[in-house]
């Protein structure tokens, strides 16, 4: 890697990091696991004057499951989330999604906070975070705010995080039926990013869908909740006809579909429908 | 020659691996010389453009910059990038190491920035202003051959670099007598070799001694020395090329690129070591690509399946310039068009054309995968047309073992082969008849199961000197040191093939010594006698043969001295297990004792030449022709077009195996690359000649989790072309696996009336076919 010159800071506390961020403003970029920022630096698509490495801030790593709330530190790696026993019990969707990101080396370095902030439209986390209705906690030297997952992804590579903010934590209310969830994806053959990824978290009682929450990544410039599918499922008995009818609406919220050498927009829309169906079937089967 | 079998034939662990897996081996970038300057190369952003002007003023004054060079600086001082392949009437464009007023592909070198570190060099490169005047671009090979195409090299007035005809037999009468003619157009997509270690050069010139050392990640240190010396106008013996650890090549380092001579020339200007390490993006843009043929094949066949003739009209996409062997690759395709079948008449009409893309050249298999894919794909098309089982069609046309050496209509003599033996073994492993029954049952349930068979024969152990531009012999020196340790100097240049291990196994058995007492040295032109290098599955079959011959000379000389030491006749001695035995009173002497006596010649025969070392240059009398059968079972997802490989069976015959573990490793890697070509690998340029697959984020090299378990076995049909009976195995997996995988997936789509799909068989393509 031959990036442009930059000044490097490795603060040990959040306060110190925020102070640096305030001091350097737009000229600074936050480095966590490096899997988003380093490729950008390598290709000189960005040449920040200052890189603030938050990787040594220990408090950002914690994964806590208390009462009805799950809290994941922004610096938790995908591998740590995938291996966490509490999450496997109380929110398996998180562990399952984490396990499907990239490869082992990527999972060992990449962090949930970094991935979310980068807002890559083909990243895996956005689907799960949307399906879990998570809240993202962002701090600046001015204070702390929480952003709902549904408001977090603004556009292609654009999240709601301001340039003076650092994502510190992801908060999730424990799902009522943790096991009734799944993340299914079609990995792009080169990068492993999602050509399409569908996360489903359901609540099913006696075969009837009481709640459905479905996140779709890879299809549109930003990940989204498949509200039309959700609406079509809730209150229904989850038989093949109901699931087929609902999943046919998986791309309804996508005004634009992404197109590249790996898949056309039409194919991505088709895959969204197929994988919404498969995700609902798989999640319902686990309920 | 008889061999002990203490090491030969055993799965000996590779002696190279500990240092490699510990990360303590030395690649070019690990060689650190004091005061080294770093070079960053500015490359063309356009696929075809005139360079109106280059402004390097800001770059030259950028911090840390020592010099900035452009085409004007090297013109007339550094020779053109060489093409060694000679074809009648070949148009060879001048290919300067830095562009001279014009660029013809994205990534072509324009300027070189020399600075105190690579960051400063890169910063300065960003300050160079190039004023381009864009020209019309042609990227499609068939369009490039048309008269209305933009012409890339105006001096030729055409984009056609050459036309080439191959094959013999009465092709017209073959087609006249045919019951059926089966025709298909096939595209062999462009691939990038993608060695784990990109290219790299470190050059160090000593003005007092007038000598230069060039460290390069290459497969051909000696050929590079000769070529770079010519390019720089320096005496060959004053240039030393060192090839340290090389992290893979797959043919892409069987070349001489702009950067070697450029770095050498810069080192002579600045009188300090200069280093350039290729980035992955440069590797995609400016290291050769492979394959890239598009053509129409016609097969003339009798209703009973007897093959009468094959005609192949093909356009080969050469890229913008000719690299070392660019035009030779399609000619290898022409040689192998008979596959493992009796085809009385064969004709290839090949047009090689320039396009605004990186040059194509040797990539693992180099011309033969194209032939095998073509023949094996066509065999399935013929079988479909004749409603024959594809296995029976193949079997019917195979030569019997007694028919070897088997002459082909392409002018070759296949050395040895037993094609049905491997076929039968693979069919038994797969339980072929049961598989077909299961397939029929699955189809009734709407499941799309495919069974693909590919038999193959390839041409290896390259090769007789007459057939190769730079000769095809190989050299070896066996040096028994005074303490009895043995140093081997080999002219081949292993870069992952494991010859340090295999050659030590051979010497261990031949000299009856511990293989750990053998050190194999390669890749240093000042230490090792001239050699040809590693490519074309030749390391063992040619380089190993030279080693055997050199070791025989050593044993013969040692025997003379042993007889003297034991005071007996040479004729009474035999060499067993490292000792000369057979002397009176059971006296014996070891090879180590003889070595010491040879270096301290206090007791030797009259006229005995001291020392115990021998060199042999081995000239093979023919190529070798490894063969085999691969079977792939796949399932296509009806909803998504996704392909799942259910089983993969490979039975390969590379003759005698020195180290079956290394053989299996070569087969594994080969299948991975060949299967990736069938399923997802492809270099994609857009219509403006911009490279869309310029990073590993977009170019899909195969990863372990994308591949199935490989069920491997082998047959052994030795060759008499070399004393080892080994045929070579470096490329076999790549050659057999692409057609087996493709045939399997296309067979899965048979219920949709699909008879052929061009590679790669990506899910969306298959989904569209099923929903058309």
């Amino acid at each position: 890697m031959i990036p442009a010159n930059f000044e490097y800071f490795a603060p040990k506390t959040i306060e110190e990091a925020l102070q640096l961020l305030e001091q350097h403003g737009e000229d600074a970029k936050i480095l966590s696991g490096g899997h988003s920022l380093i490729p950008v630096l390598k290709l000189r698509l960005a040449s920040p004057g200052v890189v603030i490495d938050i990787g040594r801030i220990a408090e950002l790593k914690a994964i806590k499951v208390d009462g009805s709330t799950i809290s994941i530190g922004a610096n938790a790696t995908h591998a740590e989330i995938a291996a966490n026993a509490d999450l496997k019990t109380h929110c398996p969707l998180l562990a399952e999604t984490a396990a499907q990101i990239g490869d082992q080396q990527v999972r060992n370095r990449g962090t949930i906070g970094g991935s979310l902030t980068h807002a890559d439209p083909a990243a895996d986390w956005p689907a799960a975070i949307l399906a879990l209705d998570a809240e993202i906690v962002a701090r600046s030297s001015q204070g702390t705010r929480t952003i709902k997952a549904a408001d977090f992804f603004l556009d292609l590579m654009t999240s709601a995080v301001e340039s003076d903010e650092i994502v510190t934590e992801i908060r999730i209310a424990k799902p009522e039926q943790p096991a009734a969830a799944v993340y299914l994806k079609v990995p792009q053959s080169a990068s492993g990013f999602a050509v399409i990824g569908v996360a489903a978290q359901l609540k099913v009682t006696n075969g009837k869908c009481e709640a459905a929450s479905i996140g779709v990544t890879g299809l549109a410039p930003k990940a989204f909740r498949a509200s039309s599918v959700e609406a079509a499922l809730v209150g229904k008995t989850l038989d093949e006809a109901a699931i087929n009818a609902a999943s046919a609406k998986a791309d309804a919220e996508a005004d634009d579909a992404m197109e590249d050498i790996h898949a056309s927009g039409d194919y991505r829309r088709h895959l969204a429908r197929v994988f919404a169906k498969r995700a609902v079937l798989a999640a319902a089967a686990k309920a | 020659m008889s061999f002990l079998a203490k090491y030969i034939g055993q799965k000996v662990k590779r002696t190279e691996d500990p240092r490699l897996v510990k990360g303590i081996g030395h690649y070019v970038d690990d060689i650190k010389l004091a005061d080294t300057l770093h070079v960053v190369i500015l490359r063309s952003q356009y696929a075809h453009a005139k360079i109106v002007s280059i402004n390097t003023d800001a770059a030259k004054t950028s911090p840390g910059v020592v010099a900035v060079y452009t085409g004007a600086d090297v013109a007339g001082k550094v020779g053109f990038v060489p093409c060694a392949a000679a074809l009648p009437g070949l148009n060879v464009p001048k290919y300067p190491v830095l562009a001279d007023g014009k660029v013809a592909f994205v990534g072509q070198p324009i300027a070189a920035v020399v600075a105190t570190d690579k960051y400063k060099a890169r910063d300065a490169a960003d300050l160079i202003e190039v004023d381009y005047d864009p020209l019309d671009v042609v990227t499609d090979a068939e369009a490039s051959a048309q008269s209305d195409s933009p012409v890339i090299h105006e001096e030729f007035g055409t984009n056609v670099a050459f036309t080439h005809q191959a094959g013999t037999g009465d092709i017209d009468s073959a087609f006249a007598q045919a019951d059926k003619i089966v025709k298909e157009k096939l595209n062999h997509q462009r691939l990038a070799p993608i060695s784990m270690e990109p290219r790299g050069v470190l050059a160090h010139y000593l003005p007092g001694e007038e000598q230069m050392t060039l460290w390069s990640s290459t497969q051909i240190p000696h050929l590079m020395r000769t070529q770079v010396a010519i390019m720089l106008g320096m005496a060959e013996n004053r240039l030393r090329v060192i090839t340290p650890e090389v992290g893979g090549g797959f043919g892409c380092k069987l070349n001489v690129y702009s950067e070697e001579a450029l770095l050498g020339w810069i080192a002579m200007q600045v009188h300090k070591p200069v280093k350039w390490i290729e980035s992955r993006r440069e590797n995609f843009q400016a290291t050769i690509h492979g394959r890239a043929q598009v053509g129409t094949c016609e097969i003339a066949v009798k209703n009973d399946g007897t093959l009468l003739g094959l005609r192949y009209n093909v356009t080969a996409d050469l890229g913008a310039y000719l690299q070392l062997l660019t035009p030779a690759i399609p000619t290898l395709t022409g040689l192998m068009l008979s596959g493992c079948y009796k085809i009385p008449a064969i004709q290839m009409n090949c047009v090689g054309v320039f396009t605004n893309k990186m040059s194509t050249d040797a990539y693992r298999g180099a011309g033969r995968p194209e032939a095998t894919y073509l023949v094996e794909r066509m065999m399935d098309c013929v079988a479909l047309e004749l409603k024959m089982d594809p296995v029976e069609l193949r079997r019917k046309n195979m030569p019997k073992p007694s028919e070897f050496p088997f002459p082909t209509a392409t002018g070759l003599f296949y050395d040895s082969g037993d094609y049905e033996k491997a076929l039968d073994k693979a069919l038994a492993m797969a339980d072929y008849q049961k598989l077909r029954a299961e397939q029929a049952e699955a189809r009734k349930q709407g499941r799309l199961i495919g069974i693909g068979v590919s038999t193959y024969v390839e041409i290896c152990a390259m090769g007789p000197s007459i057939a190769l531009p730079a000769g095809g012999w190989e050299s070896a020196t066996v040096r028994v040191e005074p303490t009895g340790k043995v140093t081997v100097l080999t002219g081949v240049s292993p870069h992952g093939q494991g010859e340090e291990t295999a050659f030590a196994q051979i010497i261990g058995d031949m000299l009856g010594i511990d293989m750990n007492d053998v050190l194999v040295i390669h890749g240093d032109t000042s230490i090792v006698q001239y050699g040809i290098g590693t490519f074309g599955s030749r390391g063992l079959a040619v380089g190993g043969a030279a080693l055997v011959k050199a070791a025989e000379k050593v044993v013969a000389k040692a025997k003379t001295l042993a007889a003297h030491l034991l005071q007996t006749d040479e004729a009474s001695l035999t060499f067993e297990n490292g000792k000369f035995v057979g002397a009176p009173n059971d006296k014996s002497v070891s090879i180590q004792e003889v070595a010491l006596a040879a270096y301290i010649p206090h007791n030797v025969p009259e006229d005995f030449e001291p020392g115990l070392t021998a060199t042999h240059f081995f000239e093979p009398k023919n190529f070798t022709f490894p063969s085999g059968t691969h079977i792939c079972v796949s399932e296509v997802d009806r909803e998504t077009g996704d392909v799942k490989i259910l089983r993969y069976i490979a039975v390969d015959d590379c003759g005698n195996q020195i180290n079956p573990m290394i053989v299996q490793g070569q087969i594994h890697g080969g299948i991975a690359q060949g299967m990736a070509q069938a399923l997802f690998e492809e270099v994609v340029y857009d219509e403006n000649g911009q490279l869309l697959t310029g990073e590993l984020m977009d170019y899909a090299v195969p990863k372990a989790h994308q591949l199935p378990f490989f069920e491997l076995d082998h047959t052994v049909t030795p060759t008499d072309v070399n004393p080892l009976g080994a045929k070579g195995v470096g490329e076999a997996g790549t050659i057999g696996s692409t057609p087996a995988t493709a045939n399997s997936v296309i067979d899965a789509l048979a219920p949709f009336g699909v008879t052929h799909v061009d590679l790669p068989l990506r899910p969306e393509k298959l989904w569209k076919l099923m929903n058309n």
Side-chain angles (χ1 to χ4, degrees), chain B residues 41 156 169 260 368 425 499 536 724 748:
Chain B
I41 294 169
F156 306 132
E260 287 96 10
R368 296 101 86 200
K425 198 166 199 173
E499 267 102 12
L724 289 164

mmCIF file of all heavy atoms in Angstrom, chain B residues 41 156 169 260 368 425 499 536 724 748:
data_model
loop_
_atom_site.group_PDB
_atom_site.id
_atom_site.type_symbol
_atom_site.label_atom_id
_atom_site.label_comp_id
_atom_site.label_asym_id
_atom_site.label_seq_id
_atom_site.Cartn_x
_atom_site.Cartn_y
_atom_site.Cartn_z
ATOM 1 N N ILE B 41 5.977 3.824 -11.244
ATOM 2 C CA ILE B 41 5.771 4.015 -12.683
ATOM 3 C C ILE B 41 4.406 4.631 -12.931
ATOM 4 O O ILE B 41 3.388 4.129 -12.433
ATOM 5 C CB ILE B 41 5.937 2.677 -13.419
ATOM 6 C CG1 ILE B 41 7.405 2.230 -13.280
ATOM 7 C CG2 ILE B 41 5.543 2.797 -14.888
ATOM 8 C CD1 ILE B 41 7.680 0.831 -13.708
ATOM 9 N N PHE B 156 1.685 -0.927 -39.753
ATOM 10 C CA PHE B 156 1.286 -2.172 -40.404
ATOM 11 C C PHE B 156 0.028 -1.989 -41.253
ATOM 12 O O PHE B 156 -0.295 -2.842 -42.077
ATOM 13 C CB PHE B 156 1.036 -3.274 -39.371
ATOM 14 C CG PHE B 156 2.193 -3.497 -38.429
ATOM 15 C CD1 PHE B 156 1.991 -3.576 -37.065
ATOM 16 C CD2 PHE B 156 3.490 -3.618 -38.928
ATOM 17 C CE1 PHE B 156 3.055 -3.780 -36.201
ATOM 18 C CE2 PHE B 156 4.562 -3.818 -38.063
ATOM 19 C CZ PHE B 156 4.344 -3.891 -36.692
ATOM 20 N N GLY B 169 -3.813 -33.630 -43.394
ATOM 21 C CA GLY B 169 -4.928 -34.505 -43.731
ATOM 22 C C GLY B 169 -5.851 -33.810 -44.727
ATOM 23 O O GLY B 169 -5.836 -32.584 -44.847
ATOM 24 N N GLU B 260 12.242 -4.621 -16.093
ATOM 25 C CA GLU B 260 13.578 -5.152 -15.777
ATOM 26 C C GLU B 260 14.667 -4.279 -16.407
ATOM 27 O O GLU B 260 15.604 -3.847 -15.736
ATOM 28 C CB GLU B 260 13.724 -6.605 -16.240
ATOM 29 C CG GLU B 260 12.950 -7.601 -15.386
ATOM 30 C CD GLU B 260 11.601 -7.937 -15.985
ATOM 31 O OE1 GLU B 260 11.353 -7.547 -17.153
ATOM 32 O OE2 GLU B 260 10.791 -8.592 -15.296
ATOM 33 N N ARG B 368 -2.832 -24.936 -24.600
ATOM 34 C CA ARG B 368 -3.408 -26.301 -24.554
ATOM 35 C C ARG B 368 -4.775 -26.338 -23.892
ATOM 36 O O ARG B 368 -5.645 -27.096 -24.341
ATOM 37 C CB ARG B 368 -2.455 -27.279 -23.855
ATOM 38 C CG ARG B 368 -1.149 -27.457 -24.623
ATOM 39 C CD ARG B 368 -0.038 -26.643 -23.998
ATOM 40 N NE ARG B 368 0.604 -27.393 -22.929
ATOM 41 C CZ ARG B 368 1.327 -26.831 -21.952
ATOM 42 N NH1 ARG B 368 1.473 -25.525 -21.910
ATOM 43 N NH2 ARG B 368 1.894 -27.561 -21.038
ATOM 44 N N LYS B 425 -11.021 -45.974 -14.874
ATOM 45 C CA LYS B 425 -10.819 -45.777 -13.438
ATOM 46 C C LYS B 425 -11.713 -44.640 -12.928
ATOM 47 O O LYS B 425 -12.353 -44.758 -11.878
ATOM 48 C CB LYS B 425 -9.349 -45.455 -13.178
ATOM 49 C CG LYS B 425 -8.922 -45.657 -11.744
ATOM 50 C CD LYS B 425 -7.392 -45.643 -11.646
ATOM 51 C CE LYS B 425 -6.921 -46.279 -10.360
ATOM 52 N NZ LYS B 425 -5.463 -46.422 -10.310
ATOM 53 N N GLU B 499 10.807 -28.376 -6.583
ATOM 54 C CA GLU B 499 11.955 -29.158 -7.083
ATOM 55 C C GLU B 499 13.109 -29.216 -6.086
ATOM 56 O O GLU B 499 13.937 -30.118 -6.174
ATOM 57 C CB GLU B 499 12.451 -28.611 -8.430
ATOM 58 C CG GLU B 499 11.825 -29.309 -9.625
ATOM 59 C CD GLU B 499 10.720 -28.488 -10.250
ATOM 60 O OE1 GLU B 499 10.607 -27.295 -9.903
ATOM 61 O OE2 GLU B 499 9.962 -29.039 -11.063
ATOM 62 N N GLY B 536 5.991 -24.809 -18.924
ATOM 63 C CA GLY B 536 5.641 -25.943 -19.779
ATOM 64 C C GLY B 536 5.870 -27.292 -19.111
ATOM 65 O O GLY B 536 6.234 -28.262 -19.776
ATOM 66 N N LEU B 724 13.741 -40.515 -16.182
ATOM 67 C CA LEU B 724 12.872 -40.620 -15.010
ATOM 68 C C LEU B 724 11.524 -41.248 -15.349
ATOM 69 O O LEU B 724 10.792 -41.660 -14.463
ATOM 70 C CB LEU B 724 12.646 -39.234 -14.394
ATOM 71 C CG LEU B 724 13.837 -38.604 -13.674
ATOM 72 C CD1 LEU B 724 13.604 -37.114 -13.462
ATOM 73 C CD2 LEU B 724 14.085 -39.304 -12.345
ATOM 74 N N ALA B 748 -26.387 -30.141 -17.212
ATOM 75 C CA ALA B 748 -27.473 -29.898 -16.253
ATOM 76 C C ALA B 748 -28.602 -29.099 -16.894
ATOM 77 O O ALA B 748 -29.758 -29.217 -16.518
ATOM 78 C CB ALA B 748 -26.932 -29.173 -15.024
#
